[in-house]
Amino acid sequence: MGLMSGTSLDGIDAALVEIQGSGTSTKVKLIEFVTCPFSDTIRKEIQDACSVEFSSVRLITSLNFKLGYLFAEAVKKVCEKARVDPKDLDFIGSHGQTIFHLPFPEGSDEVPSTLQIGEPAVIAYETETCVVSNFRTMDMAAGGQGAPLVPYTDFLLFRSSDGRALQNIGGIGNVTVIPKEAEFEDVFAFDTGPGNMIIDAICQRLFGKPYDEDGQIAARGQVHEPLLAECMSHPYFAEHPPKSTGRELFGEEYVSTLLAKWGFLPSEDLVATVTMFTAQSIVDSYQRFIFPQYEIEEVVVSGGGAYNRTLLKMMASLLPDCKVVTQEDLGYSSAAKEAIAFAILANETLHNQPANVPKATGAKKRVILGNITPAPRG
Amino acid sequence: MGLMSGTSLDGIDAALVEIQGSGTSTKVKLIEFVTCPFSDTIRKEIQDACSVEFSSVRLITSLNFKLGYLFAEAVKKVCEKARVDPKDLDFIGSHGQTIFHLPFPEGSDEVPSTLQIGEPAVIAYETETCVVSNFRTMDMAAGGQGAPLVPYTDFLLFRSSDGRALQNIGGIGNVTVIPKEAEFEDVFAFDTGPGNMIIDAICQRLFGKPYDEDGQIAARGQVHEPLLAECMSHPYFAEHPPKSTGRELFGEEYVSTLLAKWGFLPSEDLVATVTMFTAQSIVDSYQRFIFPQYEIEEVVVSGGGAYNRTLLKMMASLLPDCKVVTQEDLGYSSAAKEAIAFAILANETLHNQPANVPKATGAKKRVILGNITPAPRG
């Protein structure tokens, strides 16, 4: 079982998979998948826990356990759908919920660090199954940024005779570059910038909708070039990979500042513009850091963004020389991709296999990721 | 290797031990022990992280990693002293630093929970050794209070033909009751209330000293009965075991309130009175919850409090029918006891042995504690 809850805060993805082998001999089959949406109350609690201003040790302590129970419920739900008893699972790989990601602290009194919550002991107790979790910390201990981690599973599943860019668009956008006939050492990856995070926040504030379904709102609006240019001037985009980002740069504070200055624009135009911002920041990063060195035939989009048709059209128009497809076009699931990845990463941990990609995270070496919480009775 | 950093915040205890066997056949020998004191800066950061008011997600995220590095340094220090290469260790059992313990949340929007920090991936990476950590969460997932955990190792090491109360006096006081010829099921334990926490805080504020060395300050003061009576009226002492407490009840806020009202008393008298408060709250709990049912011949004191002679004298005078001794009197180390306990608990985890004591924590069943962070290269 793989569990993922991304920076988009829409809910918990749970993917029941059948895995055979490990490392480059890994074969994986998706059996069942559910997304358990967060209630507004929980989403608000997570947002508070992510915010320097509203977080407290008491909130984080309680929310860590509370999310553990919600993760366990997601496991039970997908098991019920697949008619499997949770305690018959071999293991659960749980990413947890990132509430802070600090790869480059500014002050001298801080150290590079990251924090995922969703207590694995609660998941293990409630499901009577061994849990592997906290995948990002060991990479960071090894000098990496703790992200992105999916490049490893991307390489295992998607290496090909064509050059591929695997673009995930969750809350944040990240790309894994798998050159033609790649060996493990050739793979690299980085966060391209915002994914759905800004689009979702604007839809919530201006339309009372959790996200822009199929990109319908954006399709009705006009891109406002001065706003787009201002968005694209963010210093993150000029930084060289490896690099990673999160809610710290493109979260609620970013959106508040944007609306304070540009809120006079028609609401549809705002959604269209931030949708183009996501598309352009992705393509811009390809032009800066990928295309000069690698021939890419195919861009494979996953994550919630794969269902935003306007976003996909914008990307395709900005990438005239590539085929822009979704995971579905290759027989996979856009939505389940990250949850499946953490089942595979957990399998690697239990096989004592290092699973970070140093070229993607900047780590000094390959290391075994995560920690193992045994089932309560072994 | 066992690592402990208690609520007293005086530093990291690291005990290098040799363990043979597991469960009731466990044999343990202390090889080397060091305490690495916290700098004032780190102590202040931990205090802020423990406080609802001053904590933030950013502080907690960074401090979790920072403490990981300090724990790793403590491992290296004790290894250097013992001339052992850290990567030759079999494993490290790390308790971490509790920054919040919430066994009984008040609001309906919170769940019972606890949070220990000191990132195990950092310890594992820096020492190239497997780390077992987060021992308290699984017991809490099983409906327990996540504390106390030491009763299990107390039972393994101190069961005897005499009835024994093993009283640890760290920041908090806790007792393990091992009746005559006890079986595992007979053992119970609870937190008696404050240990050195209030004494230390008053010494820091009024004398600029980290603690009352040998109880010298208390020895010069007079116990002020009205203040003592007020302290003893705290509702915690009437609660029936299982029960546990921490900095939430008897921390900085408690001391500020106490000094606001009673600060006019001579400083020595204040130290004498809170020292008697610790002694009396311990003995009072024995009279309420232990003596009515069990014959106790021997009280064995451990933790920093074992070095406070005034405190020991006060306890002895309040316990005329018991022998009050220290761990040293039995050939053990008062200071190293808890660090040793977490090495033993880690050994149990790695042997797939449940190690909570349901009668001590209130858990619904015996469960395997902790999670295992593999060494970075297996």
Side-chain angles (χ1 to χ4, degrees), chain B residues 150 154 157-160 162-170 173-178 282 286 290-291 296-303 305-307 312 315 319 322-335 337-338:
Chain B
V150 173
D154 280 343
L157 303 181
F158 296 101
R159 58 194 193 280
S160 149
D162 281 347
R164 280 175 166 174
L166 296 164
Q167 179 67 46
N168 189 65
I169 305 178
N174 58 67
V175 66
T176 302
V177 182
I178 305 181
I282 290 169
Y286 291 9
I290 304 175
F291 294 163
I296 299 297
E297 277 90 0
E298 210 169 37
V299 175
V300 187
V301 182
S302 61
Y307 303 105
L312 283 186
M315 284 179 63
L319 289 164
C322 296
K323 231 169 92 185
V324 178
V325 299
T326 65
Q327 293 272 330
E328 276 71 7
D329 297 323
L330 304 187
Y332 288 89
S333 159
S334 291
K337 187 193 171 202
E338 297 230 324

Side-chain angles (χ1 to χ4, degrees), chain B residues 56-347:
Chain B
S56 78
V57 65
R58 184 174 184 124
L59 171 64
I60 292 169
T61 300
S62 175
L63 186 59
N64 176 43
F65 272 64
K66 216 187 262 192
L67 286 177
Y69 289 104
L70 292 177
F71 282 123
E73 265 176 45
V75 171
K76 289 176 192 168
K77 207 158 171 181
V78 74
C79 280
E80 199 184 307
K81 222 171 142 190
R83 301 186 180 210
V84 168
D85 189 329
K87 67 171 180 281
D88 293 336
L89 295 172
D90 290 311
F91 59 84
I92 296 165
S94 175
H95 172 267
Q97 177 70 51
T98 296
I99 59 168
F100 216 74
H101 188 63
L102 193 65
F104 298 111
E106 283 163 27
S108 61
D109 55 338
E110 289 179 330
V111 295
S113 47
T114 186
L115 186 57
Q116 284 73 42
I117 62 171
E119 180 52 44
V122 170
I123 307 173
Y125 184 82
E126 294 292 321
T127 62
E128 298 176 54
T129 299
C130 161
V131 175
V132 187
S133 59
N134 281 315
F135 293 91
R136 301 197 184 274
T137 53
M138 183 63 88
D139 179 79
M140 214 170 228
Q145 298 187 27
L149 297 181
V150 173
Y152 182 81
T153 57
D154 280 343
F155 171 72
L156 295 186
L157 303 181
F158 296 101
R159 58 194 193 280
S160 149
S161 55
D162 281 347
R164 280 175 166 174
L166 296 164
Q167 179 67 46
N168 189 65
I169 305 178
I172 286 296
N174 58 67
V175 66
T176 302
V177 182
I178 305 181
K180 281 178 195 248
E181 317 281 4
E183 299 290 325
F184 176 79
E185 290 68 25
D186 305 321
V187 176
F188 72 102
F190 56 91
D191 284 355
T192 50
N196 306 312
M197 190 179 277
I198 301 173
I199 306 171
D200 291 354
I202 299 231
C203 283
Q204 282 153 27
R205 296 201 198 181
L206 303 185
F207 294 89
K209 293 184 176 180
Y211 62 98
D212 182 11
E213 200 179 338
D214 295 335
Q216 288 171 11
I217 301 173
R220 295 200 305 269
Q222 295 285 328
V223 172
H224 186 80
E225 293 298 337
L227 168 54
L228 179 63
E230 183 176 295
C231 289
M232 288 301 301
S233 71
H234 193 291
Y236 180 77
F237 305 116
E239 277 175 35
H240 278 261
K243 60 179 178 175
S244 62
T245 183
R247 201 159 276 284
E248 298 75 47
L249 290 190
F250 301 108
E252 295 295 325
E253 282 165 42
Y254 181 93
V255 171
S256 296
T257 311
L258 187 153
L259 286 180
K261 184 166 173 195
W262 299 93
F264 66 89
L265 290 174
S267 302
E268 282 82 1
D269 290 5
L270 282 168
V271 176
T273 307
V274 296
T275 303
M276 180 57 95
F277 175 33
T278 291
Q280 191 159 315
S281 63
I282 290 169
V283 175
D284 177 70
S285 74
Y286 291 9
Q287 283 159 349
R288 285 177 195 249
F289 308 117
I290 304 175
F291 294 163
Q293 283 163 280
Y294 300 96
E295 203 180 314
I296 299 297
E297 277 90 0
E298 210 169 37
V299 175
V300 187
V301 182
S302 61
Y307 303 105
N308 183 326
R309 289 192 208 170
T310 309
L311 177 58
L312 283 186
K313 263 190 214 161
M314 288 170 169
M315 284 179 63
S317 74
L318 295 168
L319 289 164
D321 300 330
C322 296
K323 231 169 92 185
V324 178
V325 299
T326 65
Q327 293 272 330
E328 276 71 7
D329 297 323
L330 304 187
Y332 288 89
S333 159
S334 291
K337 187 193 171 202
E338 297 230 324
I340 294 171
F342 285 94
I344 298 171
L345 289 173
N347 187 53

Side-chain angles (χ1 to χ4, degrees), chain A residues 49 55 57-58 61-62 66 100 109-111 113 119 121 125 137 141 365-368 371-373 376-378, chain B residues 49 55 57-58 61-62 66 100 109-111 113 119 121 125 137 141 365-368 371-373 376-378:
Chain A
S55 56
V57 65
R58 182 170 186 129
T61 301
S62 175
K66 215 186 261 190
F100 215 75
D109 55 339
E110 289 180 330
V111 295
S113 47
E119 180 51 45
Y125 184 82
T137 53
K365 41 181 144 169
R366 298 185 65 185
V367 285
I368 299 170
N371 50 36
I372 302 159
T373 302
R377 306 294 299 216
Chain B
S55 56
V57 65
R58 184 174 184 124
T61 300
S62 175
K66 216 187 262 192
F100 216 74
D109 55 338
E110 289 179 330
V111 295
S113 47
E119 180 52 44
Y125 184 82
T137 53
K365 40 181 142 167
R366 298 185 63 186
V367 285
I368 299 169
N371 49 35
I372 301 159
T373 303
R377 307 292 302 213

Side-chain angles (χ1 to χ4, degrees), chain A residues 18-306:
Chain A
E18 201 175 283
I19 298 179
Q20 287 183 341
S22 68
T24 48
S25 73
T26 303
K27 298 262 170 287
V28 61
K29 201 179 117 191
L30 179 63
I31 308 287
E32 194 59 83
F33 174 73
V34 294
T35 298
C36 303
F38 285 133
S39 69
D40 291 345
T41 323
I42 283 285
R43 186 178 301 114
K44 177 71 173 51
E45 263 190 61
I46 300 172
Q47 280 166 348
D48 284 351
C50 294
S51 122
V52 173
E53 194 182 348
F54 296 113
S55 56
S56 78
V57 65
R58 182 170 186 129
L59 172 63
I60 292 169
T61 301
S62 175
L63 185 59
N64 176 42
F65 272 63
K66 215 186 261 190
L67 286 177
Y69 289 104
L70 292 177
F71 282 123
E73 266 178 43
V75 171
K76 289 175 190 165
K77 206 158 172 184
V78 74
C79 280
E80 199 184 307
K81 222 171 143 190
R83 303 187 177 207
V84 169
D85 190 330
K87 68 172 181 283
D88 293 337
L89 296 171
D90 291 309
F91 59 84
I92 296 166
S94 175
H95 172 268
Q97 177 70 51
T98 297
I99 59 168
F100 215 75
H101 188 63
L102 193 64
F104 299 110
E106 283 161 28
S108 62
D109 55 339
E110 289 180 330
V111 295
S113 47
T114 186
L115 186 57
Q116 284 74 43
I117 62 172
E119 180 51 45
V122 170
I123 306 173
Y125 184 82
E126 294 292 321
T127 62
E128 297 177 56
T129 299
C130 160
V131 175
V132 187
S133 60
N134 280 316
F135 293 91
R136 300 196 185 274
T137 53
M138 184 63 89
D139 180 79
M140 213 170 229
Q145 299 186 26
L149 298 182
V150 173
Y152 183 80
T153 58
D154 280 344
F155 171 72
L156 296 186
L157 303 181
F158 295 102
R159 60 195 192 281
S160 148
S161 54
D162 279 347
R164 280 175 166 173
L166 297 165
Q167 179 67 47
N168 189 66
I169 306 177
I172 286 295
N174 57 64
V175 66
T176 302
V177 182
I178 305 180
K180 282 178 193 244
E181 317 279 3
E183 299 291 325
F184 176 78
E185 290 68 26
D186 305 322
V187 176
F188 72 103
F190 57 91
D191 284 356
T192 50
N196 306 311
M197 190 178 276
I198 302 173
I199 306 170
D200 291 356
I202 299 230
C203 284
Q204 282 154 27
R205 297 202 196 182
L206 303 185
F207 294 88
K209 294 185 175 177
Y211 62 99
D212 182 11
E213 200 180 339
D214 296 335
Q216 288 171 12
I217 300 172
R220 295 199 306 269
Q222 295 285 329
V223 172
H224 187 79
E225 292 298 337
L227 168 53
L228 178 62
E230 184 176 294
C231 290
M232 287 301 301
S233 71
H234 194 292
Y236 180 78
F237 305 116
E239 277 174 34
H240 278 259
K243 59 180 180 175
S244 63
T245 184
R247 201 160 277 283
E248 297 75 46
L249 290 191
F250 301 107
E252 295 296 324
E253 281 165 42
Y254 182 93
V255 171
S256 296
T257 310
L258 188 153
L259 287 180
K261 183 164 173 195
W262 300 92
F264 66 89
L265 291 173
S267 301
E268 283 83 0
D269 290 4
L270 283 168
V271 176
T273 306
V274 296
T275 304
M276 180 58 95
F277 174 33
T278 291
Q280 191 159 317
S281 63
I282 290 169
V283 175
D284 177 71
S285 74
Y286 291 10
Q287 284 161 347
R288 284 178 197 248
F289 307 119
I290 305 175
F291 293 163
Q293 282 164 283
Y294 300 96
E295 202 179 316
I296 299 297
E297 276 90 0
E298 211 170 33
V299 175
V300 187
V301 182
S302 61

